[in-house]
Amino acid sequence: MSKLVIVGTVAFDAIETPFGKTDKILGGAGTYIGLSASNFNVDSAVVSVVGGDFPQKYLDLLSSKDINIDGIEIVENGKTFFWSGRYHNDLNSRDTLDTQLNVLADFSPVVPESYKDAEYVMLGNLHPLVQLSVLDQVKNPKLVVLDTMNFWMDNTLEELKQVIAKVDVITINDEEARQLSGEFSLVKAARVIEKMGPKYVVIKKGEHGALLFHDENVFFAPALPLEEVFDPTGAGDTFAGGFIGYLAHTDDISFENLKNAIIYGSNLASFCVEKFGTERMKELSEDEINTRLEEFKKLTQFKIALK
C-alpha cells in the first residue's frame, strides 16, 4: 500500500450561497483532499494545525476514514483557521467576507517520522514556504502534486516559483494559469508552466472540466453536468484528492493513468458540490462512486463514424 502525505488547512468555514447559509462548519483544503483520497486503499496522513477550539469529533471523523492525524498539531491556546465567503448567483464567483489565519500564521509543518518515506505528496493550497518545508522533510517521493492559487502569485511569487520547480504536477484554474504564465492561450500557458519545472500541468475549468498537459500531449475531461450545484466550496481540493488518491492506489504515474486520475478527481468533485461543506463526502459510498463513473463513461466514450 502506497503512503500519501497531504499538507493543507484543516479549518472552519462559514458559507453563504443562493440556497442557504451555514455557521462554522468543517472545512479546509487538507480536509477535503483527505476525505476524497480516503476512497482509495491508500495509507494517508494529513499535516496541518488547529486550535484548541477544534472539536474532537472532526478529528475522529478523519480517523474513521483511516486518515492518520499524527501530523495535525493542536495549539491548545490558539484558534483554528477560519474563512467565510458568499457565493454569487452563478456560483462561479464569490466574495471573501472574513479570513482569520489564527494558528496558521505561525504554522511550521512536521511530517510524522513514519511518513517521511511516502511515495506520494499532495501540497494543498498553503503558503509556499510551508510547502517547501514539507518537501525538505520527505525523502524521495515518487510523485509530488502542487495546488496553489492567485493569492500566492500576487504576494509570494518568487517562493512559489521555488516550489513549482520541485514538483511533478501542478493543478491550477484557467485564470491562475494565465496569470502565472502571462499567456492567454491555455495551450501556450501550459508550455510556459512546464518550463518552470512540472512534468504535468492540470488546468481546472470548473463546470467546464479539466485539461491535462504533458509535453505535446493534451487530454480533456469534461465535468459531469449536474442538475443542482449547492455549494462549490472544496470542489477543487476534492478533485485534487481524487486525483492523487487514484494515482497512489494504482502506483502508476504514466500519462495514460493520469487521464484516469483526472476522471476520478472530477467524479468525486461532482459529489462534493451537492451539499454544504464536507457533508456529502462524509457519507459517500463506493456504489455511488462507481455508478457515477459509469455516467462519466457514457458521457465521454463513443465511436466516431468516419466517412
Side-chain angles (χ1 to χ4, degrees), residues 2 40-42 120 142 244-253 257 260-261:
S2 296
F40 305 91
N41 189 28
V42 178
Y120 293 86
K142 186 173 183 178
I244 190 73
Y246 178 81
L247 292 175
H249 172 68
T250 56
D251 201 24
D252 176 357
I253 57 173
N257 202 49
N260 289 320

Side-chain angles (χ1 to χ4, degrees), residues 52-307:
D53 58 342
F54 196 73
Q56 182 64 38
K57 67 177 182 180
Y58 289 159
L59 295 172
D60 292 342
L61 167 67
L62 297 176
S63 296
S64 74
K65 300 290 185 180
D66 294 324
I67 300 168
N68 185 294
I69 60 172
D70 292 346
I72 300 180
E73 178 188 358
I74 301 173
V75 181
E76 291 295 349
N77 61 347
K79 289 186 176 182
T80 302
F81 174 75
F82 171 71
W83 174 83
S84 175
R86 179 190 298 122
Y87 287 89
H88 298 181
N89 286 336
D90 64 359
L91 292 177
N92 287 321
S93 52
R94 70 186 184 193
D95 299 319
T96 293
L97 304 178
D98 191 11
T99 301
Q100 299 173 19
L101 288 177
N102 296 330
V103 293
L104 196 63
D106 301 312
F107 177 42
S108 181
V110 178
V111 177
E113 198 64 39
S114 59
Y115 285 87
K116 289 184 177 179
D117 61 349
E119 298 91 342
Y120 293 86
V121 178
M122 179 70 227
L123 300 175
N125 178 34
L126 270 177
H127 196 294
L129 291 179
V130 173
Q131 296 172 328
L132 283 170
S133 175
V134 169
L135 290 181
D136 287 341
Q137 295 176 58
V138 290
K139 293 172 183 173
N140 188 27
K142 186 173 183 178
L143 189 82
V144 179
V145 180
L146 165 69
D147 188 39
T148 190
M149 65 181 294
N150 52 5
F151 178 83
W152 307 117
M153 296 173 199
D154 291 336
N155 296 285
T156 59
L157 183 59
E158 291 310 308
E159 293 93 334
L160 177 59
K161 285 182 176 179
Q162 291 178 47
V163 184
I164 293 172
K166 294 174 178 286
V167 305
D168 302 292
V169 185
I170 182 172
T171 71
I172 50 178
N173 68 29
D174 45 2
E175 177 189 348
E176 292 156 353
R178 291 183 172 114
Q179 177 176 344
L180 183 60
S181 66
E183 295 284 355
F184 181 79
S185 160
L186 294 180
V187 176
K188 289 182 179 179
R191 287 177 183 154
V192 170
I193 296 168
E194 277 187 32
K195 289 177 182 176
M196 296 179 181
K199 301 181 187 74
Y200 303 95
V201 177
V202 177
I203 299 179
K204 300 172 288 186
K205 292 172 60 64
E207 62 181 321
H208 303 297
L211 288 155
L212 169 66
F213 296 90
H214 172 59
D215 292 334
E216 297 301 314
N217 300 305
V218 183
F219 174 70
F220 172 71
L224 193 69
L226 299 172
E227 288 188 19
E228 291 186 3
V229 175
F230 198 79
D231 173 21
T233 308
D237 297 315
T238 301
F239 170 88
F243 179 82
I244 190 73
Y246 178 81
L247 292 175
H249 172 68
T250 56
D251 201 24
D252 176 357
I253 57 173
S254 65
F255 181 75
E256 289 303 309
N257 202 49
L258 262 73
K259 292 180 183 179
N260 289 320
I262 292 276
I263 295 294
Y264 272 84
S266 297
N267 187 46
L268 287 163
S270 75
F271 288 105
C272 177
V273 301
E274 292 181 338
K275 288 189 176 181
F276 269 128
T278 60
E279 285 304 309
R280 190 68 177 93
M281 301 310 295
K282 290 191 292 189
E283 61 188 25
L284 196 54
S285 72
E286 187 175 355
D287 285 344
E288 288 177 310
I289 293 171
N290 290 334
T291 297
R292 192 159 287 183
L293 277 173
E294 286 294 329
E295 293 179 36
F296 262 100
K297 188 174 180 180
K298 292 175 186 174
L299 179 70
T300 57
Q301 295 187 13
F302 62 94
K303 290 183 179 179
I304 298 176
L306 301 177
K307 290 183 180 178

